[in-house]
Amino acid sequence: MHDHLNQSVVVLPSYYPMAFHPSFGNFFEEQTRLIKMQGIDVAVVFNETRSLSTLTFKKFRKIHFQKKFKIENGVPVLRRLNWNLVPTKYRLGQQIWIKNSIRLVESFIEKNGKPDLFHVHCAISAGSVAKYINYKYQIPYIITEHSSFFELSDISDAQKEEVVSIYKNAQKVIVVSKPFRKLLCSKLNLEENLVDVVPNFIDTDFFDPNLSVVTKSISKENLIFTVCFHNSNKRLDRLLEAFKIVSETKKNWTLVIGGNGYETNRLKQIVKEYGLEDKVVFTGMLSKYEVRAYMKASKIFVLSSDVETFGVVLIEAMAMGLPVVSTASGGPKDIITSDTGVLVERNAESLANGILFSIDNYYTYNKEIIRQHVIDNFSANKVVERYIAIYTEAIANDVGVYQM
């Protein structure tokens, strides 16, 4: 379809799925695969990180700072398999990651030649790599910003200066929702008209309720489903408090919580304290096939986060025809309409009321309308075309002014 576009694009993500953390940046992987399917010559270069606390002699024999190239889901991926000598949460650790990433990119260029464009996901870390490569090799880059760091953390003056410099050297800066653009520009004192909005997108052929999927482990009928990495931002404690309220009147409903994380044990303790052991199910980590199966078996999807720059899991659920309930946490404001679900305030009572409303009005929702909203606005066929146009424009407009 796009054979006339012979550009080569290298994706530089700040995070990407790894064997020990397959859901880490999984939507970067999925979106790169979908871009590749549209005929773009795309590859990924990613510098892995893993904690020294998990290091064993057996693991070190397999993972010893070596490079690894593999075709993953149809996409060429070059990795460096690292151990974090210094955690990347510290400035020194971040600098080491950037330096190693630059070396990895240079090894890619040495073997494959210079790509026409780098597509950076998240300015912090990966953006610094692209800016350096841009200066040294005169290769333009664009950035899609996703990071909730800008709302969840206080950005230092040094970080602000670096991010603004990365953005100014980019051919295009993209964010994934209008609320996030407003926040980002406010934090960094940027003009909103300098930042484009292009939403995240999914494979609506995969998330299709008409497909036959295996649901053998799912026996209950009235399921409320959520899935995420269990960290403090996702506020699953708020969801449990809301579900406690819901279960007082909706006694035959079950809450299914997919995923895991450092909050999981605390959440299980809360379930015990609320006496909800027979009404809340923790599934552990789920593959995308298992996520789809749970979505097909469920009636409502809930997202309870404090901050979401977008909310990919919402459009996955909606593509499966599910009405959704979400806190007004940023990105979901661009996704949910009155035909597709409910936006609520970020507190347990409002969340409970939203869930109760969705239960009481479940049969007024039209699954086809919900799914069509995703196809029309967030499907690969719709959004990838915009990225192809951006790639073409970025390469054509590269004027060769490179600053560090």
Side-chain angles (χ1 to χ4, degrees):
M1 182 177 180
H2 303 289
D3 291 342
H4 63 289
L5 295 174
N6 296 315
Q7 299 103 329
S8 58
V9 178
V10 171
V11 172
L12 289 181
S14 291
Y15 42 100
Y16 203 72
M18 296 173 279
F20 64 96
H21 200 338
S23 64
F24 193 55
N26 57 353
F27 59 94
F28 295 160
E29 178 185 49
E30 180 68 2
Q31 291 180 7
T32 303
R33 181 185 70 82
L34 293 170
I35 288 172
K36 178 79 171 176
M37 287 176 63
Q38 294 296 319
I40 297 296
D41 178 13
V42 62
V44 175
V45 177
F46 178 59
N47 183 35
E48 288 192 2
T49 60
R50 44 181 59 71
S51 173
L52 276 177
S53 65
T54 64
L55 177 62
T56 64
F57 179 73
K58 182 178 180 181
K59 287 182 179 179
F60 187 76
R61 290 182 64 185
K62 295 176 64 176
I63 300 165
H64 43 270
F65 305 97
Q66 77 273 31
K67 289 182 288 187
K68 178 183 178 182
F69 177 82
K70 185 180 179 182
I71 304 298
E72 302 178 11
N73 295 315
V75 176
V77 180
L78 177 64
R79 298 173 181 262
R80 187 176 190 265
L81 309 184
N82 292 323
W83 296 96
N84 281 9
L85 300 178
V86 180
T88 52
K89 66 180 179 180
Y90 300 115
R91 180 62 178 165
L92 178 59
Q94 193 176 82
Q95 289 172 337
I96 292 170
W97 187 91
I98 291 169
K99 187 175 182 179
N100 287 334
S101 296
I102 289 170
R103 289 174 175 169
L104 189 62
V105 170
E106 289 182 322
S107 73
F108 179 92
I109 292 172
E110 183 178 347
K111 184 170 183 179
N112 300 280
K114 291 167 55 174
D116 296 303
L117 183 72
F118 284 103
H119 185 173
V120 178
H121 288 286
C122 302
I124 293 176
S125 297
S128 297
V129 178
K131 189 178 81 164
Y132 177 86
I133 296 295
N134 172 248
Y135 175 76
K136 184 173 180 179
Y137 294 93
Q138 294 79 54
I139 304 170
Y141 65 92
I142 67 167
I143 294 178
T144 301
E145 191 59 76
H146 309 257
S147 180
S148 57
F149 169 84
F150 295 99
E151 182 161 353
L152 292 173
S153 306
D154 291 325
I155 185 168
S156 68
D157 290 340
Q159 287 172 321
K160 179 178 177 179
E161 183 179 351
E162 173 66 4
V163 170
V164 169
S165 174
I166 291 166
Y167 287 169
K168 285 184 176 179
N169 280 275
Q171 287 293 317
K172 184 78 72 175
V173 178
I174 300 157
V175 295
V176 292
S177 67
K178 291 176 183 175
F180 184 43
R181 177 173 64 179
K182 183 176 182 180
L183 167 74
L184 188 71
C185 291
S186 174
K187 283 262 185 172
L188 300 177
N189 298 319
L190 298 173
E191 294 291 332
E192 287 193 28
N193 62 356
L194 300 177
V195 179
D196 284 1
V197 177
V198 180
N200 281 320
F201 55 96
I202 61 168
D203 185 352
T204 50
D205 291 334
F206 179 84
F207 288 98
D208 184 345
N210 298 312
L211 293 175
S212 177
V213 300
V214 177
T215 58
K216 59 184 179 182
S217 63
I218 308 168
S219 57
K220 298 184 179 180
E221 291 185 5
N222 294 323
L223 299 184
I224 300 166
F225 182 49
T226 193
V227 59
C228 61
F229 180 66
H230 299 180
N231 62 23
S232 57
N233 174 56
K234 297 302 181 181
R235 291 305 308 269
L236 291 172
D237 56 337
R238 172 189 289 146
L239 176 56
L240 289 173
E241 185 179 352
F243 184 68
K244 180 175 181 289
I245 297 169
V246 170
S247 64
E248 290 173 0
T249 55
K250 307 296 181 183
K251 299 185 183 299
N252 62 336
W253 285 75
T254 300
L255 173 63
V256 178
I257 300 177
N260 61 20
Y262 55 79
E263 287 268 293
T264 306
N265 289 337
R266 186 176 79 87
L267 296 167
K268 289 180 178 179
Q269 185 58 42
I270 292 173
V271 169
K272 289 182 180 179
E273 292 172 4
Y274 288 167
L276 296 173
E277 295 98 319
D278 61 336
K279 295 180 180 294
V280 178
V281 176
F282 288 89
T283 69
M285 286 297 296
L286 297 173
S287 70
K288 68 176 184 178
Y289 298 94
E290 291 169 321
V291 168
R292 181 177 63 182
Y294 273 105
M295 286 178 174
K296 181 164 184 175
S298 300
K299 290 187 174 176
I300 297 167
F301 186 87
V302 181
L303 190 63
S304 52
S305 306
D306 274 338
V307 176
E308 291 287 344
T309 58
F310 186 74
V312 170
V313 71
L314 288 175
I315 58 175
E316 291 173 346
M318 288 161 57
M320 294 296 290
L322 292 184
V324 295
V325 181
S326 175
T327 47
S329 49
K333 294 178 183 178
D334 270 7
I335 297 172
I336 299 173
T337 70
S338 59
D339 288 331
T340 64
V342 183
L343 275 171
V344 301
E345 297 300 316
R346 290 177 289 186
N347 61 71
E349 184 178 357
S350 293
L351 187 57
N353 288 338
I355 295 170
L356 287 168
F357 176 88
S358 297
I359 291 173
D360 290 341
N361 293 276
Y362 175 73
Y363 291 103
T364 67
Y365 285 106
N366 185 310
K367 289 179 177 290
E368 286 75 22
I369 289 175
I370 295 173
R371 174 171 167 77
Q372 193 62 45
H373 179 69
V374 177
I375 292 171
D376 290 343
N377 295 280
F378 310 111
S379 64
N381 287 340
K382 290 288 183 180
V383 183
V384 171
E385 288 290 341
R386 294 181 64 183
Y387 268 115
I388 290 172
I390 289 168
Y391 291 165
T392 303
E393 181 184 1
I395 294 167
N397 291 346
D398 181 35
V399 294
V401 179
Y402 310 101
Q403 300 177 346
M404 278 300 290

